């Protein structure tokens, strides 16, 4: 898993609430047997018209907005539990999603794939979205170590929560297998002093 | 103050991660052909070795034919899966009991009968019915394929400790009431989600007096009430069962182990998060009428009336009516097998009913032993002859019609009285209608060609 310690980048404002995983990655793209390639179909039905041409009105197709941070309306990632949603966002190049609420399963799936969901207050979000729309070059800094989010040249700053174990994983780029492998010494020591064998 | 579960769990915690999961050491990992290939791929992709190959044992069971096992497997996809298992096991030095091997069998039948499953251990398998092994006082539960890869890589899992539940059944079971009836009764009482988030201990005189095979039947179905696993405290029955088993400790080593195992039962003042208690006298031979294992009634009862949509949908699928009795309902298929009821005791009790009788002519009755060892026992005890004389078809070991992944499917619309553990829509084949019951009820159904109230004929059979 790719590590995430601190990131400073411009952001894409997706001012839509209740973005469900069917929108993030429509069901017809779930047939692949590996984790690659889903980024191409991220928000497929919003990014493309029925005839396959680009939908110029959709924020991801607007050249004004770039960056590896997605800022979205509340209740992001609701609906089906498909982990493909996290693969699609990560595959497209997002490292952070900021919203005022995340669906539980999506949150877990995202963290398992090195994608950080940052939950902020509704007030903070409603200040952040218009700021990004007004000044698309605004840089946001997300610091996993200090659990802070700050907006360049603005008074906007906040802290966020993260499961301490998952924080360690992100900081070191570990997933559960990596984490367990990093504990090999402890595991081997445990094997030596097992009381029950 | 500790419970059996606490003691085994705590002894296996490598580290507690502050505000996070615990690293739990896994003693024994069982694998089969269906849920392991992607986990082996994960190892290959990351170029990491398999950490403790000696603690992994493999069998081929889910996707195997139950006829002509000496011939190459016909179905190409199944054949490929079995080939991958063989190659992966060879590459990683894992013991594999492949098709035809004298120790081959359903993973949850094979490991206990070989003495691989022992009290106080942690045991996992990429299969939800791993709860079976809890019968020995082990912490045993099913895991997903990504966790299979984690155990391959580290012999550990990252887990948060589940809550504890105890189900106590005291009293004496009535004649003809088998362990399968006990667990079907408990699930019918509690529902299929009562155990969600819990690890369950079964306690009380009923389980104390039960054989190891009966205990396995009970623990097997813990998952059907939502619990991750079930456990029964190890006792003299457990130790006697293990004595002499191929991979069980022997001699002084066994004595040393038994001394430790005796320390495992829950302490008298141990506190459980949830407790339930039932009376053995209230339990009768059971049968399910719906499409989840909680939809069960006593053979003598009628199907209850409920108005919710899922209940209605379930009855519609089963083509049964609320208020109906199942007695006298004609049945064309009977399946005695699966990791719930395919051990020698299951066939012995079925044989008590079958001996000297003929199955009804319209019934197809499949007997599928859980392992090659059970198959050999059937032969040795003369039971094969008893069943064949009665017109039953004895097949070769495997999961078979429990999940119908191979050719052993119940046809569309047909009812099957089955000793397996799941009666979900389509579980035994598209459109098939499953009624879960004990091996005794299943055997009686095959003979009579319809569901009968065996409680009325119990003088003829001993259990
Ligand atoms: S017999 Fe059925 S429940 Fe048991 S392991 Fe096989 S498929 Fe699963």
């Amino acid at each position: 898993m790719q590590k995430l310690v601190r990131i400073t980048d411009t952001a894409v404002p997706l001012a839509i609430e209740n973005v469900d995983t069917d929108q993030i990655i429509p069901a017809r793209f779930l047939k692949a047997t590996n984790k690659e390639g889903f980024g191409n179909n991220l928000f497929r039905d919003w990014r493309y018209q029925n005839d396959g041409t680009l939908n110029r009105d959709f924020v991801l197709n607007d050249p004004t907005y770039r960056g590896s941070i997605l800022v979205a309306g509340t209740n992001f990632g609701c609906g089906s539990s498909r982990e493909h949603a996290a693969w699609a966002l990560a595959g497209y190049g997002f490292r952070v999603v900021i919203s005022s609420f995340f669906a539980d399963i999506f949150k877990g799936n995202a963290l398992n794939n090195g994608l950080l969901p940052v939950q902020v207050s509704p007030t903070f979000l409603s200040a952040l979205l218009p700021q990004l729309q007004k000044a698309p070059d605004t840089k946001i800094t997300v610091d996993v170590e200090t659990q802070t989010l700050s907006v360049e040249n603005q008074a906007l700053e906040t802290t966020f929560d993260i499961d301490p174990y998952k924080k360690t994983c992100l900081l070191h780029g570990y997933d559960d297998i990596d984490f367990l492998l990093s504990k090999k010494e402890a595991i081997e020591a445990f094997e030596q002093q097992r009381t029950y064998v | 103050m500790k419970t059996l579960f606490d003691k085994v769990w705590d002894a296996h915690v490598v580290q507690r991660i502050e505000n996070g999961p615990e690293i739990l050491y896994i003693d024994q990992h069982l694998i089969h052909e269906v849920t392991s290939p992607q986990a082996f791929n994960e190892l290959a992709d990351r170029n990491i070795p398999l950490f403790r190959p000696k603690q992994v044992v493999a069998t081929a069971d889910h996707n195997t034919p139950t006829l002509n096992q000496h011939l190459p497997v016909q179905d190409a996809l199944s054949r490929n899966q079995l080939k991958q298992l063989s190659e992966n096991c060879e590459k990683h030095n894992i013991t594999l009991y492949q098709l035809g091997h004298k120790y081959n069998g359903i993973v949850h039948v094979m490991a206990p009968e070989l003495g691989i499953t022992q009290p106080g251990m942690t045991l996992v398998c990429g299969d939800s019915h791993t709860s079976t092994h809890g019968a020995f006082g082990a912490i045993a539960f099913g895991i997903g394929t990504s966790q299979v890869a984690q155990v391959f890589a580290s012999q550990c899992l990252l887990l948060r400790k589940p809550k504890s539940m105890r189900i106590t059944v005291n009293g004496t079971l009535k004649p003809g009431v088998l362990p399968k009836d006990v667990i079907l009764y408990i699930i019918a009482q509690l529902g299929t989600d009562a155990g969600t988030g819990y690890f369950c201990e079964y306690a009380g005189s009923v389980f104390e007096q039960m054989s190891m095979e009966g205990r396995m039947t009970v623990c097997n179905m813990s998952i059907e009430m939502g619990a991750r696993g079930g456990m029964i405290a190890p006792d003299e029955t457990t130790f006697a069962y293990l004595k002499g088993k191929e991979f069980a400790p022997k001699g002084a080593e066994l004595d040393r182990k038994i001394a430790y195992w005796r320390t495992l039962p829950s302490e008298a003042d141990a506190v459980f998060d949830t407790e339930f208690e039932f009376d053995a006298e209230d339990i009768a031979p059971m049968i399910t009428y719906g499409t989840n294992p909680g939809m069960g009634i006593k053979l003598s009862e009628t199907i209850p009336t409920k108005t919710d949509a899922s209940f209605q949908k379930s009855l519609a699928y089963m083509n049964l009516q609320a208020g109906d009795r199942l007695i006298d309902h004609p049945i064309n298929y009977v399946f005695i097998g699966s990791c719930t009821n395919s051990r020698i005791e299951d066939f012995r009790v079925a044989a008590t009913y079958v001996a000297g009788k003929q199955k009804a002519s319209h019934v197809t009755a499949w007997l599928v032993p859980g392992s090659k060892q059970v198959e050999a026992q059937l032969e040795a005890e003369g039971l094969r002859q008893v069943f064949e004389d009665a017109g039953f078809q004895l097949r070769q070991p495997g999961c078979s019609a429990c999940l119908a992944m191979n050719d052993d499917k119940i046809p569309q619309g047909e009812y099957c009285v089955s000793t397996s553990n799941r009666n979900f829509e389509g579980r035994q084949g598209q459109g098939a209608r499953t009624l879960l019951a004990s091996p005794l009820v299943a055997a009686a159904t095959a003979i009579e060609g319809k569901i009968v109230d065996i409680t009325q004929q119990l003088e003829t059979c001993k259990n």
Side-chain angles (χ1 to χ4, degrees):
Chain A
M1 203 173 81
Q2 218 181 332
K3 63 175 166 181
L4 183 62
V5 179
R6 187 186 157 94
I7 189 166
T8 300
D9 204 353
T10 51
V12 180
L14 180 66
I16 301 174
E17 295 188 349
N18 305 312
V19 174
D20 65 60
T21 51
D22 259 286
Q23 302 309 321
I24 299 172
I25 182 84
R28 62 184 184 279
F29 299 113
L30 304 185
K31 289 172 194 157
T33 50
N34 55 27
K35 297 183 191 174
E36 278 76 54
F38 291 102
N40 297 333
N41 296 312
L42 175 70
F43 295 122
R44 179 75 196 198
D45 295 339
W46 287 346
R47 273 161 75 197
Y48 296 92
Q49 314 273 11
N50 283 346
D51 61 8
T53 59
L54 273 190
N55 173 9
R56 298 276 166 204
D57 296 335
F58 185 58
V59 68
L60 255 62
N61 295 329
D62 185 340
T64 330
Y65 302 109
R66 290 161 286 110
S68 55
I69 299 172
L70 181 70
V71 183
T74 192
N75 197 24
F76 187 85
C78 58
S80 133
S81 64
R82 61 187 69 151
E83 191 162 327
H84 309 70
W87 299 337
L89 286 158
Y92 185 83
F94 288 117
R95 302 300 316 280
V96 175
V97 185
I98 300 170
S99 177
S100 55
F101 186 81
F102 292 94
D104 216 35
I105 297 173
F106 173 79
K107 202 193 257 180
N109 288 342
L111 283 167
N112 282 335
N113 288 279
L115 177 71
L116 175 65
V118 175
Q119 188 164 327
V120 297
S121 71
T123 325
F124 187 92
L125 186 69
S126 50
L128 181 59
L129 277 169
Q131 168 62 27
L132 295 175
Q133 285 158 339
K134 203 165 57 193
D137 289 336
T138 305
K139 287 213 161 100
I140 295 177
T141 298
V142 173
D143 192 315
V144 177
E145 186 71 68
T146 59
Q147 297 178 219
T148 54
L149 184 166
S150 55
V151 183
E152 178 198 44
N153 297 331
Q154 298 292 319
L156 284 174
E157 189 168 317
T158 188
T159 56
F160 58 88
D161 288 339
I162 181 169
D163 177 294
Y165 161 69
K166 284 296 174 188
K167 178 175 173 173
T168 313
C169 289
L170 273 180
L171 287 175
H172 297 95
Y174 295 158
D175 59 17
D176 286 356
I177 287 192
D178 296 322
F179 182 83
L180 287 166
L181 288 173
S182 80
K183 294 289 180 183
K184 196 151 262 181
E185 272 182 29
I187 295 168
E188 280 168 345
F190 175 86
E191 287 179 322
Q192 294 309 314
Q193 49 94 61
R194 272 185 291 172
T195 49
Y196 58 87
V197 282
Chain B
M1 284 204 1
K2 282 186 164 190
T3 65
L4 162 66
F5 178 78
D6 289 335
K7 292 181 195 181
V8 181
W9 178 278
D10 293 349
H12 288 81
V13 174
V14 175
Q15 256 180 30
R16 293 199 164 84
I17 300 157
E18 210 185 325
N19 300 320
E22 296 174 49
I23 302 177
L24 192 76
Y25 190 80
I26 303 301
D27 297 316
Q28 185 65 54
H29 188 190
L30 305 173
I31 63 170
H32 60 83
E33 75 276 24
V34 176
T35 56
S36 66
Q38 302 88 343
F40 280 114
N41 291 345
E42 192 76 40
L43 289 187
D45 290 350
R46 292 172 186 246
N47 196 22
I48 41 181
L50 201 142
F51 185 51
R52 293 288 180 250
K54 285 205 171 67
Q55 287 166 249
V56 188
V57 174
T59 186
D61 57 1
H62 279 64
N63 200 359
T64 52
T66 55
L67 291 174
N68 297 319
Q69 288 185 351
H70 62 288
L71 297 176
V73 175
Q74 295 271 309
D75 179 71
L77 292 174
S78 309
R79 196 168 60 237
N80 183 47
Q81 226 172 29
L82 293 169
K83 183 165 149 259
Q84 276 208 29
L85 182 71
S86 302
E87 288 170 0
N88 282 324
C89 288
E90 190 165 341
K91 179 172 163 200
H92 295 280
N93 286 313
I94 294 170
T95 302
L96 164 66
Y97 302 130
Q98 62 198 341
L99 213 52
H101 189 284
K102 67 173 176 171
Y103 292 157
N104 175 260
I106 305 173
V107 62
H108 312 310
V109 175
M110 168 281 284
E113 74 184 3
L114 286 173
I116 293 171
T117 307
Q118 295 167 23
M121 61 164 41
T122 49
L123 181 152
V124 296
C125 173
D127 184 281
S128 59
H129 292 95
T130 307
S131 58
T132 311
H133 309 259
F136 290 77
I139 289 183
F141 54 92
I143 55 176
T145 294
S146 55
Q147 291 177 307
V148 171
Q150 290 169 27
V151 181
F152 279 167
S154 69
Q155 207 57 39
C156 285
L157 285 171
L158 288 165
L159 297 165
R160 285 177 192 266
K161 191 175 176 179
K163 291 180 284 184
S164 63
M165 172 191 282
R166 178 162 61 187
I167 296 177
T168 307
V169 187
N170 280 313
T172 310
L173 293 174
K174 288 190 257 183
V177 176
L178 301 189
K180 180 64 164 290
D181 299 307
V182 175
I183 188 64
L184 283 175
Y185 171 89
I186 291 172
I187 301 169
Q189 296 287 321
L190 298 182
T192 49
D193 56 1
T196 307
Y198 290 90
F199 228 88
C200 176
E201 177 174 344
Y202 301 95
S205 59
V206 163
F207 304 110
E208 284 160 17
Q209 284 154 22
M210 212 175 253
S211 70
M212 283 315 293
E213 301 201 348
R215 294 176 187 183
M216 285 187 247
T217 300
V218 170
C219 289
N220 173 277
M221 290 192 71
S222 305
I223 189 81
E224 307 308 336
M225 58 176 179
R228 196 72 189 271
M231 297 176 95
I232 292 173
D235 60 7
E236 298 309 316
T237 305
T238 321
F239 311 146
Y241 177 94
L242 277 164
K243 205 166 256 175
K245 293 277 185 291
E246 181 79 32
F247 299 110
K250 310 235 157 46
E253 171 71 359
L254 180 63
D255 295 339
R256 194 177 66 79
K257 283 274 172 78
I258 288 177
Y260 168 63
W261 294 339
R262 285 191 207 281
T263 69
L264 291 176
S266 294
E267 280 152 37
D269 55 354
V271 179
F272 290 80
D273 295 308
T274 306
E275 294 232 36
F276 294 101
E277 211 163 319
F278 298 105
D279 186 0
E281 277 78 26
D282 189 47
I283 307 175
M286 300 284 295
I287 193 155
T288 65
Y289 58 85
T291 54
N292 73 56
M295 299 174 83
I297 49 175
K298 294 174 187 169
L299 267 180
S300 55
E301 291 176 333
T302 55
I303 296 173
T305 309
K306 287 186 193 155
T307 50
D308 68 273
S310 68
F311 184 84
Q312 305 282 350
K313 179 173 176 283
S314 180
L315 283 197
Y317 178 85
M318 295 299 290
N319 196 26
L320 294 170
Q321 314 291 325
D324 278 3
R325 274 159 62 87
L326 288 169
I327 301 295
D328 290 337
H329 198 289
I331 299 290
N332 294 334
Y333 288 84
V334 169
F335 171 62
I336 303 183
S338 92
C339 59
T340 315
N341 287 120
S342 63
R343 300 182 179 83
I344 192 66
E345 286 179 10
D346 300 314
F347 294 107
R348 283 185 196 139
V349 72
T352 59
Y353 194 98
V354 169
K357 303 192 182 88
Q358 273 297 308
K359 75 163 179 71
S361 57
H362 61 91
V363 170
T364 302
W366 287 336
L367 295 170
V368 184
S371 69
K372 290 296 277 185
Q373 295 213 73
V374 175
E375 186 182 52
Q377 272 172 299
L378 282 170
E379 186 77 58
E381 295 185 15
L383 297 181
R384 179 199 188 99
Q385 202 57 49
V386 169
F387 287 115
E388 285 183 349
D389 288 349
F392 285 64
Q393 194 187 132
L394 187 68
R395 296 194 155 217
Q396 291 170 300
C399 293
S400 180
C402 173
L403 87 165
M405 202 167 164
N406 64 1
D407 290 337
D408 306 349
K409 298 184 191 350
I410 308 302
Q412 174 96 24
E414 290 287 353
Y415 292 94
C416 177
V417 171
S418 173
T419 65
S420 55
N421 44 50
R422 282 182 174 151
N423 50 357
F424 300 156
E425 284 187 24
R427 170 81 178 183
Q428 296 196 289
Q430 235 181 355
R433 297 167 171 148
T434 303
L435 301 109
L436 302 176
S438 77
L440 185 57
V441 171
T445 306
I447 299 295
E448 312 297 337
K450 59 184 185 182
I451 297 168
V452 290
D453 190 357
I454 52 149
T455 46
Q456 304 193 343
Q457 339 175 353
L458 282 175
E459 41 303 355
T460 58
C461 47
K462 296 175 283 299
N463 61 75

